[in-house]
């Protein structure tokens, strides 16, 4: 089990930028093969936003491609999500998550594939 703590959420106007951070501790590097960001709004399913694999490969939800960038340090202790050109539809609680290897990689959007979760950080975008 990896302990994850998110930070960096807040309130911004449409078109603004925010960078979320997640600090990981405990577990092993095998538990952090995938490091990802999810988001959730009340009454809705948790949605995969972006993922970075052990080899640095990244994938994004279609709705954030070209606006969001996921990154991490080589030690896999810090995960970041740079969010640009934010829109009200990006308003959600954002969660950091990690997982061991699973196949196929395209299943990264499935929350049940991730074993460790942070408590979330709220992002609110006003129009």
């Amino acid at each position: 089990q990896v302990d994850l703590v998110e930070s960096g959420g807040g309130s911004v106007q449409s078109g603004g930028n925010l960078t979320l951070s997640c600090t990981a501790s405990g577990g092993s590097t095998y538990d952090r093969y995938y490091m990802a960001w999810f988001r959730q709004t009340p009454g809705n399913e948790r949605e995969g936003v972006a993922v970075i694999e052990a080899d640095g490969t990244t994938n994004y939800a279609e709705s954030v491609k070209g606006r969001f960038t996921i990154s991490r340090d080589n030690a896999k202790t810090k995960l970041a999500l740079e969010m640009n050109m934010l829109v009200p539809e990006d308003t959600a609680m954002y969660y950091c998550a990690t997982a061991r290897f699973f196949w196929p990689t395209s299943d990264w959007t499935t929350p049940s594939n991730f074993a460790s979760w942070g408590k979330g950080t709220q992002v609110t975008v006003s129009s």
Side-chain angles (χ1 to χ4, degrees):
Q1 188 79 5
V2 181
D3 294 322
L4 301 167
V5 179
E6 304 95 337
S7 61
S11 297
V12 296
Q13 289 193 324
S14 186
N17 309 318
L18 276 176
T19 297
L20 305 183
S21 298
C22 174
T23 300
S25 61
S28 71
T29 55
Y30 297 106
D31 297 314
R32 309 176 196 183
Y33 187 93
Y34 297 101
M35 300 184 79
W37 289 97
F38 286 76
R39 64 187 181 188
Q40 188 173 25
T41 54
N44 292 309
E45 298 283 327
R46 198 163 289 191
E47 171 193 25
V49 175
V51 67
I52 185 165
E53 300 179 33
D55 65 358
T57 301
T58 58
N59 279 293
Y60 297 91
E62 284 296 325
S63 60
V64 307
K65 277 183 181 177
R67 300 189 298 121
F68 290 12
T69 302
I70 189 171
S71 62
R72 60 162 169 76
D73 65 342
N74 288 335
K76 300 180 184 176
T77 60
K78 296 191 186 301
L79 182 70
L81 185 68
E82 181 181 348
M83 305 185 295
N84 298 316
M85 297 181 289
L86 285 160
V87 296
E89 291 73 25
D90 294 319
T91 295
M93 184 71 79
Y94 283 72
Y95 298 90
C96 173
T98 65
R100 292 190 170 196
F101 177 81
F102 56 78
W103 187 260
T105 299
S106 57
D107 283 354
W108 73 268
T109 59
T110 303
S112 61
N113 284 329
F114 288 78
S116 299
W117 293 86
K119 294 183 178 180
T121 186
Q122 178 68 37
V123 172
T124 302
V125 184
S126 58
S127 57

